[in-house]
Amino acid sequence: DVEQNFQHMDVLISNIHVCFYLSNCSCQQDLDMRFGFNLCSEEMAFLGKRKRYVASALKNVFHLPHELQDREVPVVAIITTGGGLKSMTGLYGSLMGLKKLNLLDCITYISGLSGTTWTMANLYRDAYWSQKDLDSHIGEAQKQATKCKMGCFSMDRMKYYNKQLCQRKEEGYRTSFIDLWGLMIEYLLNDGKDPHKLSEQQEALCDGQNPLPIYVSVCVRDSYSTNDFKEWVEFTPYEVGLLKYGAFVRTEHFGSEFFMGRLLKKLPESRICYLQGDFFSPPVDEDPVLPTRPHELRTRMYTPPGALSSALRGALTDRFSVAQHHNFLKGYQLHNNYMENQHFCRWKVLTIFVILQSLDKACKYYSEQKIPFPTISLTDEDKKNLKECYIFQDSDLPGCPIVIFLPLVNDTFQEYKAPGVKRCCSEMEEGQLDLTSSCSPYCMFSVRYTDDNYRKLLNLSEYNILNNSQMIMQALQTAMQRRRQMC
């Protein structure tokens, strides 16, 4: 179940804002869908292969006298969040830092959404990217991040968008603004058409040579705010599904038409650019609204809207940027007592928010769900001025993961160009990055950086990893010690 899977994770490296750990399971029913809460057979096979890389890397990094047994190998995940070009560039820098520390092969999973999925999708075109130097990938990303984007609205590009959307509609897909946005992202990140598909990333996992990528999106419903309804959806090269229900389809079948777990109409697999939006929504009339337990019911005063207020609400709340896909759960209804099932995961899936107020909420949530999670303790000064790295752990709580929190902040980088190497007067400007103000060049909606801004952000992200290498190493050593004690 979810709790048992989470207990198997030893270290979470949280980069920037929010992190997730998701997993699923195998079921023996003769269907075109898979129901269950454990890992699929392909992911289980991957883990066996990946352990060999992780064990070898840990032995080399820590100069261990003997080979680690499979049961001694900790599971480490890099968990990232969105934020456009800022998060895309920041992830490249973090991975570059881990590569220099020889820790990249110690990672089993990489998860992300929005901007960080741009990094992941670009890297996983190369089946052996983590075994190579990252300079070429980073150089290509810089080229795309700094190029002029006005061609995105050229007449030729508009004709291309129209042709691609018409083709997608002919294939059987429902098109929306988010599909157009996906095509625009394709232009922002590539020189031409990107034929890459998510299922093709299985080649990058065949020998366990790279961490397994998990892309995260949010399923929403028309006429409901995300405060009232949202479900996390995970995309891997193997499967797409909702862990909440333990329901998964093959990645190449996502978007196809299903009924009662049977594949009725197979559509061509979408190119990955169409998946690089943040949301997708199934039809609103196919599932009942999820109730809460009676003791969890929230009381609200509700006034039925009139025609004017309904029209105004629709204008203000309609989601023009939501993709719509065929609901692969069509034909199924939840059992009346579904919430009593010990495996059912209501609303959230093991989320760690690094926004400070949400860290406290996450800790409270895990406590209520009886899921092992370290206590989050931050001083008032920390809440005002974040440090580069935090470690949260609880050695007295069995199965509790170690959480390494690495927010994107510009702290000692202002005075140091490398760990322990101070900047001279002429180099001080290189350490000045405005990450938070309203006029910051790194705001979420920025679609073009200068070469200088790109390089600074890349160097900052790498520096924050290198400057806190001792804390990261300490967490990994603790995870290995725990594994040995469990054995």
Side-chain angles (χ1 to χ4, degrees):
D1 61 21
V2 173
E3 180 176 345
Q4 291 173 336
N5 287 334
F6 191 56
Q7 289 176 359
H8 291 162
M9 175 162 286
D10 302 278
V11 180
L12 300 178
I13 302 177
S14 171
N15 176 26
I16 310 173
H17 292 301
V18 69
C19 66
F20 309 89
Y21 176 70
L22 308 170
S23 58
N24 45 26
C25 81
S26 205
C27 188
Q28 299 301 319
Q29 296 184 27
D30 183 22
L31 298 172
D32 297 315
M33 290 179 56
R34 184 178 70 82
F35 289 99
F37 292 87
N38 291 327
L39 306 179
C40 67
S41 58
E42 293 91 342
E43 187 169 341
M44 289 294 291
F46 162 81
L47 289 176
K49 297 173 182 177
R50 185 61 183 170
K51 281 183 179 181
R52 296 196 296 267
Y53 281 87
V54 176
S56 177
L58 290 171
K59 180 183 178 183
N60 292 335
V61 168
F62 294 103
H63 308 289
L64 302 178
H66 59 81
E67 298 284 347
L68 290 174
Q69 300 298 313
D70 281 358
R71 62 182 181 276
E72 297 178 299
V73 179
V75 178
V76 182
I78 297 176
I79 316 297
T80 69
T81 188
L85 286 181
K86 180 167 71 172
S87 58
M88 181 192 81
T89 308
L91 181 53
Y92 275 118
S94 297
L95 294 175
M96 190 163 59
L98 292 171
K99 184 73 172 178
K100 289 186 176 181
L101 295 173
N102 297 315
L103 293 179
L104 198 49
D105 275 345
C106 299
I107 309 301
T108 302
Y109 291 94
I110 296 181
S111 179
L113 72 162
S114 188
T116 52
T117 67
W118 303 351
T119 303
M120 293 162 61
N122 288 338
L123 289 174
Y124 280 87
R125 295 174 186 169
D126 183 345
Y128 288 87
W129 69 267
S130 67
Q131 306 303 310
K132 302 176 182 178
D133 193 295
L134 297 180
D135 287 349
S136 61
H137 293 287
I138 291 172
E140 177 62 23
Q142 179 173 357
K143 171 187 171 184
Q144 300 302 330
T146 57
K147 73 181 181 182
C148 178
K149 304 301 192 297
M150 292 306 296
C152 190
F153 303 102
S154 68
M155 184 58 66
D156 286 343
R157 202 67 192 172
M158 292 296 178
K159 291 178 180 178
Y160 171 78
Y161 296 154
N162 182 65
K163 179 180 179 181
Q164 293 298 308
L165 291 175
C166 288
Q167 178 181 333
R168 185 165 174 79
K169 190 171 183 178
E170 290 174 1
E171 290 173 347
Y173 284 96
R174 304 171 183 178
T175 57
S176 67
F177 174 84
I178 205 66
D179 296 299
L180 174 60
W181 171 233
L183 291 170
M184 294 174 73
I185 290 176
E186 178 187 50
Y187 177 82
L188 298 179
L189 303 177
N190 302 274
D191 287 330
K193 182 176 180 179
D194 178 16
H196 179 211
K197 299 176 182 177
L198 181 55
S199 66
E200 295 170 354
Q201 293 182 10
Q202 293 180 29
E203 184 180 353
L205 308 174
C206 60
D207 296 322
Q209 69 270 34
N210 300 298
L212 191 149
I214 299 178
Y215 302 80
V216 182
S217 183
V218 179
C219 174
V220 297
R221 294 173 67 89
D222 290 345
S223 304
Y224 290 90
S225 75
T226 52
N227 288 328
D228 294 326
F229 184 91
K230 58 179 176 291
E231 299 173 321
W232 290 109
V233 187
E234 70 167 41
F235 296 72
T236 77
Y238 302 127
E239 292 185 319
V240 175
L242 296 94
L243 181 63
K244 172 179 177 179
Y245 305 113
F248 301 86
V249 296
R250 301 296 305 170
T251 297
E252 58 268 26
H253 294 162
F254 177 68
S256 295
E257 295 186 35
F258 285 79
F259 185 77
M260 293 293 289
R262 298 292 186 181
L263 180 60
L264 297 184
K265 181 180 180 181
K266 186 181 185 310
L267 305 186
E269 182 180 357
S270 295
R271 293 189 291 118
I272 201 166
C273 68
Y274 290 117
L275 302 180
Q276 289 181 312
D278 286 335
F279 304 100
F280 83 93
S281 174
V284 299
D285 59 348
E286 296 186 0
D287 293 315
V289 177
L290 296 178
T292 59
R293 293 189 179 93
H295 67 276
E296 294 176 333
L297 186 63
R298 290 178 293 182
T299 302
R300 296 183 181 181
M301 178 180 288
Y302 177 75
T303 303
L308 178 61
S309 61
S310 294
L312 180 60
R313 183 178 187 274
L316 294 175
T317 62
D318 280 353
R319 301 183 180 98
F320 68 94
S321 59
V322 177
Q324 294 190 359
H325 294 269
H326 293 291
N327 184 1
F328 56 78
L329 285 174
K330 185 175 181 179
Y332 283 108
Q333 293 292 328
L334 294 176
H335 190 279
N336 289 336
N337 296 323
Y338 72 94
M339 295 189 67
E340 304 305 320
N341 187 306
Q342 62 175 329
H343 300 301
F344 185 82
C345 184
R346 184 174 180 269
W347 300 123
K348 301 185 182 78
V349 182
L350 296 175
T351 309
I352 301 172
F353 295 90
V354 301
I355 298 174
L356 292 182
Q357 292 180 344
S358 298
L359 270 175
D360 296 333
K361 292 179 181 178
C363 188
K364 181 176 182 292
Y365 170 78
Y366 295 130
S367 176
E368 292 173 348
Q369 300 298 320
K370 296 181 173 57
I371 298 173
F373 193 77
T375 301
I376 305 302
S377 178
L378 292 165
T379 66
D380 291 338
E381 178 60 29
D382 282 333
K383 293 178 181 180
K384 293 178 181 178
N385 299 291
L386 283 173
K387 297 176 183 177
E388 295 169 348
C389 184
Y390 298 84
I391 292 184
F392 303 112
Q393 57 184 316
D394 191 338
S395 57
D396 297 327
L397 188 59
C400 184
I402 302 168
V403 177
I404 304 174
F405 172 34
L406 289 160
L408 184 60
V409 296
N410 185 14
D411 187 7
T412 62
F413 182 71
Q414 298 179 61
E415 297 183 5
Y416 291 82
K417 63 180 180 180
V421 182
K422 274 205 165 189
R423 298 182 184 278
C424 62
C425 293
S426 62
E427 296 171 327
M428 296 302 290
E429 196 278 332
E430 287 293 313
Q432 303 306 307
L433 286 84
D434 175 11
L435 297 172
T436 58
S437 77
S438 58
C439 57
S440 168
Y442 304 110
C443 70
M444 180 179 294
F445 301 105
S446 176
V447 296
R448 186 183 185 187
Y449 288 168
T450 65
D451 285 310
D452 185 55
N453 288 335
Y454 181 91
R455 186 186 69 257
K456 283 183 178 180
L457 182 58
L458 186 75
N459 291 341
L460 168 64
S461 302
E462 178 193 37
Y463 170 88
N464 283 353
I465 292 288
L466 298 177
N467 196 47
N468 295 280
S469 60
Q470 289 186 346
M471 295 181 71
I472 297 173
M473 297 285 194
Q474 174 190 332
L476 290 172
Q477 284 184 311
T478 302
M480 287 190 293
Q481 291 171 358
R482 288 186 181 182
R483 280 280 175 167
R484 283 193 290 267
Q485 291 170 359
M486 291 170 59
C487 295

